[in-house]
Amino acid sequence: MAGAAVSRRALLGGLGVGGVGAAVGAVGAGAWKASADTAAPTPHAGTVPFHGEHQAGIATEAQDRLAFASFDVVSTDRADLRDLMREWTAAAASMTRGLPVPGSSSVLEAPPADTGETEGMPPGLLTVTAGFGPSLFDDRFGLARRRPARLRDLPALPGDGLDPDRSGGDLAIQACAQDPQVAFHVIRNLARIGRGVVQMRWSQLGFGRTSATSSTQSTPRNLMGFKDGTRNVRGDDAARMRDHVWVPSNADQGWMAGGSYLVARRIRMRIEGWDRDPLGAQQEVFGRDKLEGAPLTGTREGDVPDYAAKAADGTPVIARNAHIRLAAPENNGGRAMLRRGYSFTDGVDPASGELDAGLFFLAFMRDPQVFVDLQNKLGSLDALNEYIEHVGSGLFACPGGVRDEKDYWGRGLLA
Ligand code: HEM
């Protein structure tokens, strides 16, 4: 194990990894040619810096794969929680560099510190993002007075069909990477490290990012076949990130400065019904054309929707209940969020015989009320409601970034 770890490190060293740009640049410059003609260039070799002002995995250009888990703390000792956050942080920092979980993995008499399934694999642009749920701030750990006023359980929202076994949790971990095994490895190892202190409450794997989250990224498609993320807040748009995503330094709880609130919603799609609908009806649901992604009032994806435009019969071209009309920031007091969701499919629903598939909606924002207000509106008016149901939910306060090796997730809260 230790030897293999060295070879992983050597691979990284060879690529001159210093950040996403550096790593990807090295691949583009032909660094892979040296290895073998059979080794096709892959986009998986880069690393994303773990330390910084903000946690990685929020402004980071969305990777292709997700492993997400929510945990309940089963210990009632605050010191246990603090020690776990220290250990989790060190493990996450190491894994994002493409290295194993710190500790010995070569003692025959002891279980290896790292479970080993990513040995020899590149880091795959891995990011690990942590958040604290409202339930952590009850009286178990004496944290009630450290709860940000904005961190409250999400209220019941119209059309909710929430499964309590896929909702809530004291802690959340979002692991995103270009490779599913790299993302899963994080959740598995953090769960293992946390044994006795935390217990996994629910988890979700995601494939296929459903949002463009940078100005250079192409727009992907969700499982309904529509481009998603066209008008998203972009991680490289500093002004919009400041205005809509990052919690400001004068927040009521200093430990949240530079952080963000994460809303997670497991949204089931009634795919079979959707697939039987005519193209025109599908396009009316979103207010966009399916192939190009253009608003129905335009011809190109980037065209700005014209919500005032009327058809010859006087009806709005973009229907009153079209998803984009209802969701657009200009129709919601200018308030926006950064959507960073993933598609999921978890086999067949035994009750209906239909696919259990949909969108694992993840969105970051500086105030979760933005989601609550929008979902109150969408849940009662959106044409999309005929085809979807929100079945899981979580709200998590993601603290500001881990600054250096001595810092750890939530130090300002738990120290
Ligand atoms: C399965 C459920 C959903 C699907 C399939 C879906 C799909 C889409 C699509 C295709 C777009 C247009 C492209 C774009 O600008 O990104 C869009 C826009 C948007 N959606 Fe959703 N969405 C879903 C749920 C939600 C939820 C729950 C929210 C928030 C409560 C939301 C908020 C938004 C916002 C803010 C926009 C951008 C509107 C704009 O700026 O014009 N969506 N969505």
Side-chain angles (χ1 to χ4, degrees), residues 136-267:
L136 191 72
F137 298 83
D138 57 16
D139 49 14
R140 281 172 297 164
F141 308 103
L143 294 174
R145 284 188 302 129
R146 310 300 308 280
R147 183 179 63 79
R150 294 190 154 90
L151 183 67
R152 289 185 302 259
D153 281 331
L154 294 174
L157 293 162
D160 273 359
L162 300 184
D163 174 354
D165 293 337
R166 292 188 196 271
S167 300
D170 293 333
L171 304 171
I173 295 290
Q174 171 197 271
C176 299
Q178 294 299 87
D179 188 286
Q181 189 144 319
V182 170
F184 167 74
H185 175 249
V186 171
I187 299 300
R188 178 178 177 193
N189 279 272
L190 296 192
R192 207 175 64 89
I193 292 169
R195 213 178 144 79
V197 181
V198 291
Q199 197 175 321
M200 201 182 293
R201 183 180 169 93
W202 55 280
S203 73
Q204 184 67 56
L205 293 179
F207 64 93
R209 64 183 168 90
T210 58
S211 273
T213 69
S214 80
S215 53
T216 52
Q217 209 170 24
S218 63
T219 316
R221 292 179 189 273
N222 57 39
L223 290 187
M224 288 172 156
F226 276 74
K227 288 188 184 173
D228 207 334
T230 302
R231 296 189 77 210
N232 206 3
V233 172
R234 308 287 166 144
D236 50 5
D237 183 339
R240 292 199 87 206
M241 290 298 287
R242 184 196 60 221
D243 292 347
H244 300 292
V245 178
W246 302 128
V247 172
S249 53
N250 63 356
D252 62 341
Q253 294 291 345
W255 62 267
M256 270 302 283
S260 192
Y261 291 92
L262 167 62
V263 174
R265 305 281 284 185
R266 187 177 192 270
I267 308 179

Side-chain angles (χ1 to χ4, degrees), residues 210-211 219 222-224 226-232 240 265 267-269 286 288 293 305 307 323-330 332 335-337 339 358-359 361 363 370-372 374-376 378 382 384 388 390:
T210 58
S211 273
T219 316
N222 57 39
L223 290 187
M224 288 172 156
F226 276 74
K227 288 188 184 173
D228 207 334
T230 302
R231 296 189 77 210
N232 206 3
R240 292 199 87 206
R265 305 281 284 185
I267 308 179
R268 172 97 187 265
M269 289 175 180
F286 287 109
R288 285 187 179 272
Y307 294 114
H323 183 69
I324 63 164
R325 176 190 288 276
L326 296 171
E330 57 264 48
N332 292 284
R335 302 195 300 169
M337 60 184 81
R339 289 169 289 137
L359 168 67
F361 175 93
V370 175
F371 171 82
V372 172
L374 180 53
Q375 185 51 31
N376 258 314
L378 292 178
D382 196 347
L384 193 53
I388 62 170
H390 291 227

